[in-house]
Structures are given as structure tokens and as C-alpha cells.
Amino acid sequence: MFLAKDVRETGFEIFYDPTSTDPGHCSISGEGCIAIPNKKLQKLAKRTRILTDEEIENPNQIA
């Protein structure tokens, strides 16, 4: 899990991209849809958090 602000602050763009199994799915890309440099990916990875099974089942538990 990462926050939209973390994505934007790292220099990515967010696009709403719903799927048949996840209506809230979004995709990210480099600014202007260019390739994403590894350094930016590493910065974003450091801001992510793995959700527990309980948090996935009940998003209200996400702090």
C-alpha cells in the first residue's frame, strides 16, 4: 500500500484504471508516460507498506 501523495511526490502520475476484479485499481507511470527510472521506483518502494490479511479483508483497520 502507498498513498497517492507518495506516488505524486516521487514524480509519478496516477491513472484510474479499473479492472473486472478491482473497480478501484489505478496505474502509475512516469511523468508524461515516459519510462520510470529505477531510482524513482526505489524511492516509491521505501514508502510502501504490506497490508495484513485482516487489513485487506477490512480496510477500516488500515491506519
Side-chain angles (χ1 to χ4, degrees), residues 13-32:
E13 292 181 357
I14 303 169
F15 300 93
Y16 179 58
D17 188 21
T19 67
S20 60
T21 57
D22 183 1
H25 182 265
C26 292
S27 295
I28 63 171
S29 72
E31 290 181 12

